[in-house]
Amino acid sequence: MPEYVAPRGTNDVLPSESPKWEYVEDKFRKTCRLFGYKELRTPTFEYTDLFTRNLGETTDVVSKEMYTFQDRGGRSITLRPEGTAPAVRAYVQHNLGASLPVNKIYYVGRIFRYERPQAGRYREHTQLGIEALGSIDPAIDAEVISLAVCFYRNIGLKEFELKINSIGCPECRPKYRQALVDFAKDRLERLCPSCVRRYEQNPMRMLDCKEQNCQSALVDAPKLIDYLGPECREHFEKVQSYLRDLDISFVIDPKLVRGFDYYTKTAFEFVSGKLGAQNALGGGGRYDNLVEEIGGSPTPAVGFGLGLERLMLTIESLGIELPVEIGITAFIASMGEKAHMAAVKLAYELRNKGVSVDMDYTGRSLKAQMKIADKLGAKYAIILGEDELARQAATVRNMASSEQITVSLSELADTLA
Ligand code: HAM
């Protein structure tokens, strides 16, 4: 074991793997742009009260998972444990609502949660997220969901399930909450200690518990969708009808509650059977009161966050081949000092003309340099020796066929292109 290793629950993405990650991130960005979303970049850390006051005090994230510390100025700072509150903070701070009625933003960012690490659950993860702020139209809920579906399909992922629910609004929830509490009252001894606490503080969160005993104790619990008021019910029905119009299949999961208190109405999650216990590929929903709570004027909104690490695990376990280009066009092998000096110049010239090129910096034998060219996935090796230099030419070797031709240095870029 080396002396220094990455902190528990974090991951390194090595250069051999990173082209796949770049590819997926790039597809996400392109999909967002197709749907009219633009990137918002916010800081990795925020003042702590943005999260403590707006995500829900009793949520797992706020009560036990935040990376919070005092900075040298004595301010309480938290590494962002999710992306929605920071996006809304920026929306309000920069008054984005004044310039456009609907603001559609996306982000790719690192998220920090002090969770117990296991496959698919890390202390630092990456979220690909979007937020659409400014519309109450159920069509935009469907747009948000369809963007995720389109993105997953664009990278070749077809095996996932979309679960949806409506968790109502502050008007319909109290009645449901009471019904749930009444139901759970006689079953408390079957619940885990966390759920007993949830029963007191935030009963709906019991529905989300992964413990088998809790799930079976609550299997017949009342369903929130049966308690929705007319407005929430109509909204939920319209979202479903739009999804059907878009040919997006879904199942209604009455127990889907999501992990933050800001959600209202639509809640959804994408799950993959390939992920084991941490099966949520991504999730989101509507949060019609958060902008106002953060200090803006009332602005309905909806969005999602998709975990990049879990997506990469799913892609791998399904054996999906991503069409990533990992090789370079050419590797310049040189022999002798003069040729080496010429190689430095040639590499720079070719790169400036848009040809991806690497070269030898170790002074190894030609055979060893060819091996490196092979490892780097070079399509061609450009061999420069004293002879070639004297003729202002290079030998170009096709690495796959071993065919060799001589090309003058001035025509090299065009030939390779
Ligand atoms: P979330 O469900 O907490 O939602 O996280 C979104 C996704 O991030 C999860 O579905 C999962 O794929 C990934 N994820 C969460 N925690 C971890 C972890 N510890 N390790 C690896 N991946 C993880 C949110 O954060 C909301 N802000 C999403 C949202 C945006 N809702 C509306 N707009």
Side-chain angles (χ1 to χ4, degrees):
M1 181 83 131
E3 190 177 350
Y4 298 108
V5 293
R8 192 166 134 74
T10 66
N11 295 294
D12 295 313
V13 178
L14 301 180
S16 55
E17 288 297 305
S18 62
K20 291 187 204 157
W21 291 64
E22 271 178 34
Y23 174 87
V24 170
E25 280 180 22
D26 191 47
K27 278 276 179 218
F28 178 69
R29 289 172 190 280
K30 287 196 172 122
T31 312
C32 288
R33 280 189 225 118
L34 269 180
F35 281 71
Y37 289 70
K38 293 206 185 108
E39 189 175 13
L40 169 72
R41 300 186 187 210
T42 62
T44 313
F45 55 83
E46 299 274 352
Y47 292 127
T48 302
D49 58 3
L50 174 68
F51 303 115
T52 50
R53 286 174 32 199
N54 298 295
L55 304 187
E57 257 177 349
T58 58
T59 58
D60 284 355
V61 166
V62 171
S63 63
K64 54 188 188 201
E65 294 172 358
M66 297 207 304
Y67 279 89
T68 296
F69 56 95
Q70 288 234 319
D71 71 6
R72 286 171 194 271
R75 287 166 289 248
S76 184
I77 295 289
T78 295
L79 301 185
R80 65 175 166 216
E82 64 100 50
T84 307
V88 172
R89 194 265 310 137
Y91 172 87
V92 172
Q93 181 177 338
H94 303 287
N95 200 14
L96 299 184
S99 53
L100 272 177
V102 177
N103 274 265
K104 306 208 287 188
I105 56 114
Y106 78 86
Y107 48 87
V108 176
R110 300 300 182 95
I111 304 290
F112 304 85
R113 296 180 189 174
Y114 191 81
E115 295 196 78
R116 201 162 37 80
Q118 63 180 79
R121 186 166 69 192
Y122 310 109
R123 290 186 172 164
E124 181 184 24
H125 73 275
T126 313
Q127 267 188 38
L128 311 173
I130 69 166
E131 313 292 352
L133 302 116
S135 171
I136 190 67
D137 185 350
I140 207 159
D141 304 41
E143 176 183 280
V144 163
I145 293 173
S146 69
L147 191 157
V149 170
C150 181
F151 162 61
Y152 285 148
R153 287 188 188 148
N154 275 344
I155 52 174
L157 178 64
K158 294 184 187 82
E159 292 173 50
F160 56 80
E161 188 175 55
L162 167 63
K163 292 180 174 183
I164 64 167
N165 192 20
S166 173
I167 53 172
C169 67
E171 267 165 47
C172 32
R173 241 169 324 198
K175 257 194 282 158
Y176 174 67
R177 200 184 140 109
Q178 193 52 52
L180 183 62
V181 165
D182 292 345
F183 177 87
K185 196 165 56 209
D186 305 330
R187 294 166 173 81
L188 284 180
E189 71 286 357
R190 291 167 62 190
L191 301 180
C192 72
S194 304
C195 276
V196 173
R197 209 171 41 247
R198 290 173 187 135
Y199 171 83
E200 302 284 344
Q201 300 176 336
N202 200 342
M204 275 170 63
R205 188 114 306 118
M206 296 185 299
L207 300 173
D208 199 27
C209 184
K210 301 282 178 288
E211 296 283 335
Q212 198 54 50
N213 284 345
C214 301
Q215 288 190 3
S216 55
L218 298 172
V219 73
D220 293 321
K223 298 185 170 94
L224 214 163
I225 32 181
D226 296 331
Y227 288 77
L228 295 179
E231 191 198 320
C232 291
R233 180 182 305 279
E234 192 191 335
H235 187 95
F236 190 42
E237 272 159 17
K238 284 200 172 143
V239 172
Q240 292 173 55
S241 127
Y242 280 123
L243 290 176
R244 280 189 215 102
D245 284 349
L246 302 181
D247 238 346
I248 293 176
S249 28
F250 59 88
V251 291
I252 296 178
D253 178 356
K255 291 210 163 66
L256 178 67
V257 289
R258 310 278 306 132
F260 298 112
D261 287 356
Y262 52 61
Y263 288 109
T264 53
K265 296 195 174 119
T266 316
F268 59 90
E269 239 161 49
F270 294 95
V271 295
S272 160
K274 290 286 169 189
L275 279 170
Q278 300 307 312
N279 67 354
L281 263 178
R286 197 163 255 292
Y287 47 94
D288 289 340
N289 304 318
L290 186 62
V291 177
E292 198 177 356
E293 276 157 22
I294 287 181
S297 48
T299 308
V302 54
F304 68 61
L306 315 177
L308 180 56
E309 289 74 9
R310 289 188 193 175
L311 179 55
M312 298 312 285
L313 284 174
T314 312
I315 287 174
E316 186 157 329
S317 63
L318 287 170
I320 296 173
E321 291 284 342
L322 299 174
V324 288
E325 190 67 57
I326 44 167
I328 48 173
T329 303
F331 182 87
I332 307 178
S334 57
M335 284 157 302
E337 201 182 326
K338 270 201 190 130
H340 182 67
M341 285 162 69
V344 171
K345 201 167 158 223
L346 179 63
Y348 188 60
E349 277 168 13
L350 290 174
R351 289 163 177 162
N352 276 321
K353 288 185 176 156
V355 183
S356 60
V357 171
D358 208 345
M359 60 173 281
D360 177 64
Y361 291 105
T362 62
R364 292 184 190 193
S365 70
L366 184 61
K367 201 170 151 202
Q369 292 187 45
M370 285 302 150
K371 275 197 185 147
I372 300 172
D374 203 40
K375 269 200 173 167
L376 293 176
K379 289 198 189 85
Y380 301 97
I382 300 172
I383 303 164
L384 271 188
E386 309 267 309
D387 285 356
E388 281 90 353
L389 267 191
R391 283 183 282 135
Q392 280 298 297
T395 303
V396 177
R397 178 191 178 101
N398 181 318
M399 294 297 287
S401 65
S402 300
E403 227 176 283
Q404 295 198 163
I405 52 170
T406 304
V407 180
S408 80
L409 292 183
S410 58
E411 284 165 14
L412 203 50
D414 287 341
T415 310
L416 289 173

